[in-house]
Amino acid sequence: MFMYQAQPPLEFIAPKYNPQFLRLTHLLLPLWMRAQTSLTKVEAENVETLVDLYSQFQAGKIRFMLAFRHPKTDDPIALGYLFSRIVPEVARHKGIKFTAPVHAHCIYDRGIPLWAGAHMGWILQYLGGTPIQRGKADWTGLRSARDLFANGAFPMAAAPEGATNGLSEIVSPLEPGISQMAFWCAEDLQKAGRTEQVVILPVGIKYSYVTEPWDAINDLLTELEVKSGLKSEELGVRSEELTSSTQHSALSTQHSLYSRLLRLAEHLLSIMENFYTKFYHCKLSTNGGAELPSDKNEAIAARLRALLDVILQVAEDFFKLQPKGSLNDRCRRVEQAGWNCIFREDFKDIKTLSVVEKGLGNRAALEANMRMWHMRVVESFVAVTGSYVRENPTPERFAETLLILWEMVTRITEGNTSRRPNLGKQKANIIIGTPISVSDRYSEYKESRSGARLAVADLTKELQVSLEKLI
């Protein structure tokens, strides 16, 4: 019921770093990882670079931010293992002594405690994290993050993609906030007469299965086929194909599964297109009005782009928003508009409101939440290309694509997407990239407003390229 009732505005969760709580978290992390995630192992490459940056940070020579890839919600667990286990081990091997602990102040989405539970806000608070409300100028959150970047006891950590995209091998378009914050840090240091250099460190995170989960992939694909209403005789043919193919080669298995995946994608697209055309009176302008490509993957991609656009318009029309910018930008504006209807300034003193006013407020919150549902469907697909599996039909790409489809189907049929299917044990590979100097670009940034905008855009572009190279 929480999101269906009008409430006072969201309060800022001030960071309250607690060293005892961090030690307890590091101690319990392996147990938490085994119990709450599919991760069994975390590996890292080029850790020496991170060790060197921590050494310089503790020596007062630099301030830096880890800009990490964010494919899934397990990323903070993997990074916590990196900080608590791998970095100290590599430092000892190199003979470098740190002032314990190795940690980072994370910047997190203020919405996380809403869907993950209030306890998660408490955990992040006492780990020294600071929240940001996406989709609006959250000056309180920005001031807190800016102060921690320049003066915090630890480096910063943030995901420049802004949200998970479910895909280990595709980087979503980056938001410029990380670059802007880095330049603010350089500005704050200069004003204070400090000599530290400001650096952004790209960090890649990629997941792989310990054992190829083809059986689990087949089972999940079958479940989605049944739920989406594909005919039983079609399922029987595909099951026979799979049984026959596994007797011959893994390549045949992949071909069979891929054919089924394409059929499922086309079927779900048709269902969703019919739904939004019939009940929301949307006009689908597929492929800009031109004929669809003959290639099935390209045709699916064109249809998906058109569908995502009209789904977002359903939410935007309700909130009177113009469809400007990328899908990510539009999702953030819809989310903030919905939150404005749920977490209201005029409900600060809710006890003074009449029963009628509360009832109308709850009605507005319910309708806003229903419109935000459409945005959540789009949010799951912002990085889907239509050719991700075809380009490299690994079990990881099959699984990631199927889990995105599962999230959409589950959002429609049940609503609760928190319990994702576990297709098998995984390991995380963290790749430390090459540091990017922000201080070297600061002279360009401070020249003029246009120079600042260009500097932020250029830094964001370089960070995007750096993260893509780490895949």
Side-chain angles (χ1 to χ4, degrees), residues 142-416:
L142 288 172
R143 279 194 297 269
S144 174
R146 183 171 180 170
D147 177 66
L148 284 174
F149 202 165
N151 304 304
F154 305 105
M156 301 296 291
E161 291 167 277
T164 58
N165 69 7
L167 304 172
S168 285
E169 298 183 81
I170 291 182
V171 182
S172 296
L174 304 190
E175 298 178 357
I178 299 301
S179 299
Q180 179 60 72
M181 202 162 292
F183 281 118
W184 281 341
C185 182
E187 182 179 48
D188 293 342
L189 295 178
Q190 187 183 73
K191 287 180 178 178
R194 292 162 57 182
T195 60
E196 298 105 307
Q197 297 293 295
V198 180
V199 173
I200 291 180
L201 179 66
V203 176
I205 304 178
K206 186 176 179 181
Y207 296 89
S208 59
Y209 285 94
V210 176
T211 303
E212 294 186 344
W214 291 116
D215 288 342
I217 288 171
N218 174 62
D219 291 344
L220 180 57
L221 182 51
T222 301
E223 177 188 330
L224 294 176
E225 288 168 334
V226 172
K227 285 185 174 180
S228 63
L230 284 169
K231 295 180 180 179
S232 57
E233 57 266 23
E234 291 178 326
L235 295 178
V237 169
R238 288 195 288 279
S239 297
E240 292 170 8
E241 289 173 355
L242 179 66
T243 302
S244 174
S245 66
T246 52
Q247 295 171 354
H248 289 86
S249 69
L251 185 62
S252 297
T253 300
Q254 293 170 6
H255 178 74
S256 175
L257 289 170
Y258 187 59
S259 297
R260 293 170 60 191
L261 179 61
L262 282 181
R263 281 194 286 265
L264 175 63
E266 288 180 306
H267 185 66
L268 287 172
L269 270 173
S270 296
I271 291 175
M272 297 298 284
E273 287 168 343
N274 291 336
F275 174 73
Y276 279 94
T277 300
K278 181 176 181 179
F279 293 102
Y280 291 93
H281 314 294
C282 297
K283 294 182 179 180
L284 286 159
S285 179
T286 306
N287 208 33
E291 191 173 321
L292 282 172
S294 57
D295 180 86
K296 187 173 290 189
N297 289 272
E298 293 178 8
I300 288 174
R303 290 172 64 189
L304 179 61
R305 286 193 298 269
L307 178 62
L308 296 181
D309 179 63
V310 300
I311 293 176
L312 263 184
Q313 285 183 35
V314 168
E316 289 168 334
D317 288 347
F318 177 80
F319 293 117
K320 306 302 181 186
L321 299 173
Q322 294 298 314
K324 294 180 180 178
S326 67
L327 289 178
N328 262 329
D329 294 337
R330 293 166 65 185
C331 284
R332 298 289 68 75
R333 284 198 295 273
V334 168
E335 180 179 56
Q336 190 56 53
W339 281 14
N340 289 343
C341 292
I342 299 169
F343 304 100
R344 292 169 47 168
E345 290 291 333
D346 55 338
F347 272 55
K348 277 186 176 179
D349 191 357
I350 200 168
K351 294 179 180 179
T352 64
L353 300 174
S354 68
V355 174
V356 171
E357 288 172 313
K358 291 178 184 177
L360 290 173
N362 292 340
R363 173 59 59 184
L366 174 62
E367 292 186 1
N369 190 65
M370 291 173 63
R371 296 296 169 154
M372 289 168 70
W373 179 91
H374 301 281
M375 179 272 294
R376 297 298 179 202
V377 171
V378 174
E379 194 175 40
S380 301
F381 285 86
V382 291
V384 174
T385 64
S387 59
Y388 184 61
V389 177
R390 181 178 66 172
E391 291 169 353
N392 189 13
T394 61
E396 286 75 23
R397 291 196 178 198
F398 265 104
E400 288 172 350
T401 303
L402 272 178
L403 286 171
I404 289 174
L405 293 176
W406 171 88
E407 183 173 331
M408 184 191 76
V409 170
T410 304
R411 196 176 293 280
I412 293 169
T413 58
E414 301 173 25
N416 183 7

